[in-house]
Amino acid sequence: MQAQAPCLPIASSPASGAEAGVPGPAERRDGAPAVSSTGAAAEPTAHGGHPGWTAALLAERSPSLLRDDMSRFGIGVGLASLYGLALGARQGGVSLVQHAAGVPAAVVAVAGLGVPALLIVLTLFDAPLDPPRALSATARAAAATGLVLGGLAPAAALFVVTSGSDLTAALLGLLGLAAGGVLGVHVLLRDLRAALRGNGSLALLAGHGAALLGFAGFAVALALRVWWATLPILKAGAL
């Protein structure tokens, strides 16, 4: 009687069910299948990019360099002069130069007279505010004002040229000036308030708040006085 040879089990191939020579999906150590690099292109996990020009102009930089602050302040003044040109388009001629110089003159006056006076008052309340921080806040405020006025310049030119009344043209021009000025003062006070927050006693913080509020009123009054003295469109409208 002939003995039968024992049957040896045949080991299954790791790629069972797949064609020979085609590797199966790799597995990660945690057991989850990994995405094949030969499949569909993976979506990027992050989209890099540079901030826009407006965001870079208004961004708070630390440490702030004097050159960058002066450049930002100059850009704000230049953009504000565009709004002045738009207002001067109603009368033309020399009025263009008067308005182009008069609109940013208020920004320079507030920065050159109001901010130093505010720093002196804040030192009386032992405010932890150094001149470089105040200069950076002033430059950002001027840039914000210039961006608003520069953006409103085309619309202002259209309205003041086509308006049939000097009073209406003056009111529209003053409305744009108010929008840019209020935003600039808001940016300045917000930056200064952030630097003063949480420093000193309650009485000192109340003194800081009173000084900032007084500066806001002084800045508005000074800007209006400069614009009234330098902008013929306001005088023509009897404002």
Side-chain angles (χ1 to χ4, degrees):
M1 187 174 181
Q2 186 177 1
Q4 295 180 351
C7 297
L8 297 178
I10 300 176
S12 60
S13 171
S16 59
E19 296 181 0
V22 179
E27 293 186 357
R28 299 188 311 191
R29 293 185 177 181
D30 56 0
V35 179
S36 174
S37 59
T38 58
E43 296 182 359
T45 57
H47 298 280
H50 299 284
W53 180 76
T54 302
L57 184 64
L58 299 178
E60 184 175 1
R61 302 164 187 170
S62 181
S64 180
L65 301 177
L66 177 61
R67 180 183 60 185
D68 295 339
D69 290 335
M70 296 304 296
S71 175
R72 182 152 48 181
F73 185 84
I75 292 174
V77 169
L79 291 174
S81 66
L82 294 179
Y83 189 82
L85 289 175
L87 298 182
R90 179 173 180 83
Q91 299 173 346
V94 182
S95 179
L96 291 170
V97 179
Q98 292 176 327
H99 288 84
V103 171
V107 179
V108 176
V110 172
L113 299 177
V115 176
L118 175 63
L119 288 180
I120 294 174
V121 173
L122 289 176
T123 55
L124 300 177
F125 296 97
D126 195 21
L129 185 65
D130 53 354
R133 179 62 183 269
L135 178 60
S136 177
T138 304
R140 294 182 66 221
T145 300
L147 284 172
V148 173
L149 295 179
L152 294 176
L158 176 63
F159 282 120
V160 300
V161 170
T162 58
S163 177
S165 171
D166 290 338
L167 178 59
T168 303
L171 287 175
L172 291 174
L174 186 61
L175 182 61
L177 293 173
V182 168
L183 180 60
V185 172
H186 169 72
V187 171
L188 178 60
L189 295 183
R190 183 191 61 188
D191 289 356
L192 296 180
R193 191 164 50 243
L196 300 174
R197 185 176 299 143
N199 294 280
S201 62
L202 182 60
L204 290 178
L205 293 179
H208 298 164
L212 295 177
L213 184 61
F215 167 78
F218 173 77
V220 171
L222 179 60
L224 289 176
R225 181 67 183 88
V226 172
W227 285 330
W228 170 257
T230 58
L231 302 181
I233 190 174
L234 299 183
K235 296 180 179 180
L239 288 180

